[in-house]
Amino acid sequence: MVMPIPSLLCSLQILLIITLISQTIAVLVYDKINNSHYICDQSNNKANYTTNSTYHKNLNTLLTTLTSNTDINYGFYNFSFGENNDKVYSIGLCRGDLLPSDCRTCLNGSRENLTTVCPNQREAIFWSENERCMLRYSNRLILGVMEDAPYFFSNNLNDSSDVVLSNEVVTSLLNDLTSRAVKGDSRIKYAAGSLPGPTPEVIYGLVQCTPDLSQTECNSCLSENLQQIPSCCNGKIGGRVVRPSCNMRFETSFLFYQPRASPPRSSPANTTGSNTKPCYC
Ligand SMILES: *[C@@H]1O[C@H](CO)[C@@H](O)[C@H](O)[C@H]1NC(C)=O
Ligand SMILES: *[C@@H]1O[C@H](CO)[C@@H](O)[C@H](O)[C@H]1NC(C)=O
Ligand SMILES: *[C@@H]1O[C@H](CO)[C@@H](O)[C@H](O)[C@H]1NC(C)=O
Ligand SMILES: *[C@@H]1O[C@H](CO)[C@@H](O)[C@H](O)[C@H]1NC(C)=O
Ligand SMILES: *[C@@H]1O[C@H](CO)[C@@H](O)[C@H](O)[C@H]1NC(C)=O
Ligand SMILES: *[C@@H]1O[C@H](CO)[C@@H](O)[C@H](O)[C@H]1NC(C)=O
Ligand SMILES: *[C@@H]1O[C@H](CO)[C@@H](O)[C@H](O)[C@H]1NC(C)=O
Ligand SMILES: *[C@@H]1O[C@H](CO)[C@@H](O)[C@H](O)[C@H]1NC(C)=O
């Protein structure tokens, strides 16, 4: 049966209102002191757990297991623990340039901070300073699910009037990094590199997806980020757009990642990591 236009519009309106309401409930918090971002009750499932419940214990076990795992050396952690309604799923992702030990330290710190700021939500997500790592947990399956919301962006406040930064150069760098990152494997989907700016400055960029995404999903997540760059960061000397499934950043004034080859990956070493030379091949 074909729905008459007015009632279709009406349904759409209701849908929109519901979306708006649910968007206002779960709030993404920027913690200025610790310089981190987090959100409790990420998908509004509004299900709290009680202290010392099975869920609580499973969560503690899971996060302890995750952050004490020393076998993983590629910065992506995917663990679950428990049964039925008390099953907890988690994902840990470190920025592709972090050493395994720094990655573990970051996730461990995130675990402490996240469980402090979100004391009894069944679902939460935490981004540490400069997105060095991200920690998520939930009572629903989050692995292999592309999530582009919630997202945040920020820019380096200095405008680039003295730099004459061209959006085209930024876009072309980030575009190219995206096409490299999506080709990563199920352990890491990351690329960082640089391009010469219009002035002597070099533009540094970094893009990353959680490696459980398919190439197509990773590409579509990063494309959404790229589309945000003009509105968030036009004329700025730096900026970033961050989502649960992917993130993207550029800076003109400084090298913000470790220009070292990242952990195991399928592509040849020469094209990985970053170059201080104006080449991102
Ligand atoms: C869940 O916990 C949060 C924070 O502790 C609280 O603000 C909220 O009211 C709780 N929600 C329910 C449904 O109990
Ligand atoms: C939870 O368990 C701990 C350790 O067994 C105990 O010290 C604490 O009082 C319990 N808290 C609640 C709210 O039951
Ligand atoms: C994690 O942090 C806790 C407390 O901050 C500390 O006791 C523990 O040793 C840390 N674990 C790792 C693996 O770094
Ligand atoms: C956790 O919070 C402390 C401040 O209490 C901060 O120093 C630390 O960097 C935070 N860790 C992470 C991973 O965000
Ligand atoms: C920073 O992290 C610490 C340690 O987890 C936490 O107690 C505090 O609430 C966080 N936020 C601020 C604004 O200090
Ligand atoms: C902005 O530019 C000023 C002057 O060049 C510099 O001192 C400051 O560190 C810059 N701020 C940022 C956030 O880059
Ligand atoms: C996630 O963990 C499951 C269960 O251990 C494993 O089968 C799967 O290969 C992992 N997926 C990724 C992308 O790491
Ligand atoms: C990396 O590439 C450069 C220039 O393309 C080449 O000179 C160099 O030998 C390569 N290094 C390795 C380890 O393949």
Side-chain angles (χ1 to χ4, degrees):
M1 197 185 83
V2 177
M3 206 185 246
I5 298 290
S7 84
L8 179 69
L9 281 178
C10 185
S11 323
L12 282 176
Q13 238 165 31
I14 289 166
L15 205 71
L16 188 68
I17 289 164
I18 291 168
T19 310
L20 287 176
I21 289 171
S22 55
Q23 276 176 353
T24 56
I25 296 171
V27 180
L28 186 107
V29 180
Y30 171 48
D31 177 339
K32 281 183 200 148
I33 294 171
N34 295 333
N35 213 4
S36 56
H37 290 80
Y38 63 87
I39 182 164
C40 309
D41 199 16
Q42 177 194 343
S43 69
N44 282 310
N45 71 21
K46 295 202 253 347
N48 289 353
Y49 62 80
T50 48
T51 306
N52 293 345
S53 61
T54 307
Y55 191 87
H56 190 189
K57 287 170 184 162
N58 287 348
L59 176 63
N60 284 343
T61 306
L62 178 65
L63 296 183
T64 306
T65 310
L66 188 149
T67 54
S68 60
N69 180 300
T70 51
D71 294 336
I72 292 171
N73 67 350
Y74 45 85
F76 180 63
Y77 298 75
N78 135 47
F79 288 116
S80 61
F81 189 76
E83 302 290 331
N84 307 322
N85 284 345
D86 292 314
K87 185 162 182 176
V88 195
Y89 301 86
S90 69
I91 282 179
L93 178 75
C94 288
R95 218 173 61 195
D97 61 329
L98 259 64
L99 292 173
S101 57
D102 293 336
C103 176
R104 279 196 296 278
T105 306
C106 186
L107 289 171
N108 193 33
S110 301
R111 166 177 71 111
E112 298 263 308
N113 295 4
L114 181 57
T115 47
T116 307
V117 292
C118 304
N120 56 7
Q121 280 78 24
R122 282 185 188 251
E123 176 160 36
I125 181 164
F126 185 91
W127 288 274
S128 70
E129 183 168 28
N130 287 325
E131 297 79 57
R132 282 165 59 79
C133 68
M134 174 191 75
L135 183 65
R136 295 176 68 184
Y137 67 80
S138 180
N139 60 343
R140 68 193 166 95
L141 185 63
I142 48 177
L143 185 81
V145 180
M146 198 271 264
E147 277 182 37
D148 55 4
Y151 75 97
F152 64 87
F153 56 79
S154 62
N155 53 50
N156 189 321
L157 286 179
N158 282 355
D159 68 38
S160 62
S161 50
D162 52 338
V163 182
V164 200
L165 183 59
S166 139
N167 256 325
E168 276 154 48
V169 182
V170 171
T171 301
S172 99
L173 172 64
L174 295 175
N175 237 330
D176 206 80
L177 292 173
T178 295
S179 60
R180 274 174 47 196
V182 302
K183 294 192 193 98
D185 58 22
S186 62
R187 293 170 299 174
I188 186 162
K189 285 190 170 61
Y190 164 81
S194 56
L195 263 188
T199 59
E201 277 87 1
V202 173
I203 300 172
Y204 301 99
L206 180 158
V207 308
Q208 185 163 16
C209 291
T210 59
D212 55 324
L213 297 191
S214 69
Q215 185 165 335
T216 311
E217 289 168 328
C218 176
N219 189 59
S220 89
C221 190
L222 287 171
S223 300
E224 287 184 54
N225 283 2
L226 197 58
Q227 280 161 25
Q228 286 293 326
I229 294 287
S231 55
C232 90
C233 314
N234 204 357
K236 306 294 180 189
I237 60 170
R240 66 188 81 169
V241 185
V242 181
R243 302 177 195 271
S245 286
C246 70
N247 65 77
M248 174 176 273
R249 180 177 177 190
F250 75 94
E251 296 291 345
T252 313
S253 49
F254 61 100
L255 179 59
F256 62 92
Y257 50 85
Q258 285 299 315
R260 70 165 75 92
S262 43
R265 47 190 305 146
S266 45
S267 45
N270 217 10
T271 67
T272 64
S274 57
N275 315 292
T276 41
K277 280 179 291 178
C279 162
Y280 55 93
C281 4

